[in-house]
Amino acid sequence: MVTGPGPADLTTPERVRAARELADSLGIDVVVVTPGSDLRYLCGYHAHAMERLTALAVPRRGEPLLVVPRLEAPMVQASPAGGLGLDVLAWDETDDPFALLAQAVSARLGGAPARVAVGSRTWAEHALGVQRAMPGAVLELAGPVVDRLRMVKTAAEVAELAAAGAAIDRVHAGMGQWLRVGRTEAAVGADIAAAILAEGHVGVDFTIVGSGPNGASPHHELSSRVVQAGDLVVVDIGGSTPTGYRSDCTRTYVVGGSADAEVQEWYAVLQASQAAATAAVRPGVSAEHVDAVAREVITGAGWGEHFIHRTGHGIGLDTHETPYIVSGNEVTLEPGMAFSVEPGIYLAGRHGARIEDIVVCTEDGVQILNNGPRELVELPG
């Protein structure tokens, strides 16, 4: 049920300490996170979510504690969390783990908590269990604490994302081996998934192969459609590395033919949009500014109604995390923030295209983590 850490799980005691200090500054009495990327980020314990409660509690006063089923306690000690000196509270099958959690938190705070923040992807049954055990508390999301910490990557985290990006670039570079006329999207996707693993990933998160009219659906699922000569094909792929960091890169191909004049016209607009948005990344600008730059290029050329999604999303231990590059997000970019830049143009019932790179805001601009060609790549049939 639990996978071990990679060669360098990139966890430090400072993360828990930083979470406590930030929670305290916000007036949050305790942060509670359950299995998922928040738990892995804060303490290095990578457990699958299940009905038995596993939860890290970080109170604003007193030492943090990790509540785990007794049968899984040895796995905690074998994980990076075992070296952090956490107070591990193991519970038996007939115990009420939520009551144990509440008692331990109250003992540290010197009274019942008034504000309890839970991870945004905590299962509802666990969040409600916490609320029942702490009936006087206001339950809220832990995003202002955990998301704030996770948004700004360390140099080690950027290196992990760069390695993941280089691996997925190598998969795109081999696309001509699999993406051919006469093959189904599902068959192409299976070969891509195998290549992602062969390039060092330990998990495949998604393989989008949107051929012809399916390319106009940004989150298209693999289908039995057969690739036709002259099809535009949107290939959006990504996975996870041994340390949990993610890749995500989209390129668009034309298979067994050449793009017509109209496609070449609007694809050039898409290239210009993606390049302009990437160049706009620097400390001090807002996330929504980058989105606006991408959108202005496409709208100015008359294709704005066909750009139907945000320009990007943060990436790290989750493929989609903060910051989101979208109108209305006034978050100011800082060095270390990593996210996608991926404008698209989609003509319903006909075809579509998207160009996506992962980028990192640096002290003086932007670092691009995907470096494959961004032009419309022609593949032989």
Side-chain angles (χ1 to χ4, degrees):
M1 293 296 294
V2 180
T3 59
D9 219 306
L10 305 174
T11 58
T12 66
E14 285 73 25
R15 289 182 176 176
V16 173
R17 187 178 308 117
R20 179 171 57 194
E21 292 173 354
L22 186 51
D24 187 36
S25 71
L26 295 171
I28 295 171
D29 292 306
V30 61
V31 173
V32 179
V33 298
T34 51
S37 54
D38 285 347
L39 182 67
R40 187 171 188 177
Y41 176 84
L42 287 174
C43 72
Y45 184 39
H46 182 36
H48 293 292
M50 59 189 302
E51 75 284 358
R52 294 184 177 97
L53 179 69
T54 293
L56 173 70
V58 183
R60 64 193 299 184
R61 290 188 299 276
E63 293 304 310
L65 64 139
L66 187 58
V67 176
V68 297
R70 190 173 300 281
L71 75 164
E72 295 189 353
M75 292 185 287
V76 174
Q77 297 304 329
S79 77
L84 297 182
L86 295 172
D87 184 7
V88 177
L89 182 59
W91 59 274
D92 296 307
E93 295 284 13
T94 55
D95 291 334
D96 179 349
F98 299 101
L100 294 175
L101 172 65
Q103 291 164 9
V105 168
S106 295
R108 283 160 169 75
L109 295 174
R115 292 177 63 192
V116 177
V118 297
S120 59
R121 300 183 188 182
T122 295
W123 283 9
E125 67 177 292
H126 291 159
L128 292 174
V130 170
Q131 189 170 51
R132 283 193 299 270
M134 305 177 187
V138 174
L139 202 66
E140 56 194 273
L141 294 178
V145 175
V146 185
D147 289 354
R148 178 66 194 133
L149 296 176
R150 290 179 56 182
M151 265 199 297
V152 179
K153 271 62 178 180
T154 64
E157 289 179 287
V158 171
E160 291 291 321
L161 288 170
I168 219 70
D169 283 352
R170 293 193 294 270
V171 176
H172 271 294
M175 200 58 59
Q177 303 172 61
W178 317 300
L179 181 53
R180 299 192 300 273
V181 171
R183 303 198 74 205
T184 66
E185 293 173 351
V188 174
D191 286 339
I192 292 171
I196 291 172
L197 297 177
E199 287 294 347
H201 283 53
V202 296
V204 178
D205 293 333
F206 51 90
T207 53
I208 296 173
V209 180
S211 63
N214 292 339
S217 176
H219 284 177
H220 172 67
E221 298 284 345
L222 294 173
S223 77
S224 60
R225 185 183 185 277
V226 175
V227 177
Q228 306 293 315
D231 273 352
L232 290 184
V233 185
V234 179
V235 179
D236 184 353
I237 54 178
S240 57
T241 66
T243 54
Y245 286 81
R246 309 289 170 142
S247 61
D248 187 3
C249 181
T250 308
R251 293 293 185 261
T252 303
Y253 302 87
V254 58
V255 185
S258 299
D260 62 29
E262 182 191 61
V263 170
Q264 291 180 33
E265 174 194 331
W266 62 253
Y267 191 85
V269 172
L270 182 61
Q271 279 186 284
S273 169
Q274 207 259 353
T278 300
V281 175
R282 62 184 183 277
V285 307
S286 66
E288 68 176 356
H289 173 73
V290 177
D291 177 82
V293 169
R295 211 162 294 281
E296 285 167 4
V297 174
I298 294 175
T299 299
W303 298 95
E305 67 182 289
H306 302 292
F307 181 10
I308 58 176
H309 55 71
R310 65 195 175 202
T311 294
H313 56 82
I315 190 169
L317 289 173
D318 287 315
T319 306
H320 287 193
E321 59 183 51
T322 54
Y324 295 101
I325 311 303
V326 63
S327 177
N329 186 3
E330 298 177 354
V331 166
T332 299
L333 299 186
E334 300 176 31
M337 288 185 175
F339 48 88
S340 66
V341 177
E342 50 175 308
I345 294 176
Y346 309 95
L347 307 182
R350 298 171 61 191
H351 43 223
R354 182 165 63 257
I355 308 169
E356 176 184 20
D357 293 321
I358 302 302
V359 307
V360 181
C361 182
T362 65
E363 293 286 350
D364 56 2
V366 63
Q367 176 185 358
I368 304 172
L369 301 187
N370 295 106
N371 294 292
R374 297 174 187 89
E375 65 265 26
L376 187 60
V377 177
E378 295 185 2
L379 299 178

